[in-house]
Amino acid sequence: MPFIEVAREKLASYNGKVSLHQADLNTDDWAVLPPGPVHAIVSNMAIHDLGSEEAVTTTYKKAARRLEPGGSLINADLVTRPDDKEPPTDGKLKVPRHLELLDHLGFVDVRCTLDFGHYACVVGRKDRF
Ligand SMILES: C[S@@+](CC[C@H](N)C(=O)[O-])C[C@H]1O[C@@H](n2cnc3c(N)ncnc32)[C@H](O)[C@@H]1O
């Protein structure tokens, strides 16, 4: 079952207090999202599909623009294993590089919450200041 459907089921009891929107990561403005800042941006195994570190960085920049202060970015994705000597040639970055990008973009509380080697979750919050 797609991740967004799992999320819809899990959050159904919140009775409309949560709304989920699916954006095309490649569009400039993520126009499907409601206008104004959003509380959280969540992605599962999609951002690496954009194919490059540049595309990952662009996506993180868009997320920083669309999040409310204190809002969360949660990206669970395929990554390059830490012991892999070759630099990634696609969007599967190493976890420390994800964390570095988020840190450079001004996210706070940046950390990896789960790491299976090939699949990891990185999170950060938009600074309130
Ligand atoms: C491995 S699937 C994961 C699907 C879903 N996120 C889940 O967890 O069930 C990778 C997904 O990345 C999505 N994807 C690729 N390019 C995308 C884009 N530009 N915007 C949004 N999603 C994209 C694909 O449609 C595909 O569904």
Side-chain angles (χ1 to χ4, degrees), residues 13-34:
S13 61
Y14 286 89
N15 294 328
K17 288 184 185 153
V18 177
S19 64
L20 298 173
H21 307 269
Q22 190 167 8
D24 179 345
L25 296 166
N26 280 329
T27 60
D28 284 338
D29 54 357
W30 295 352
V32 72
L33 301 183

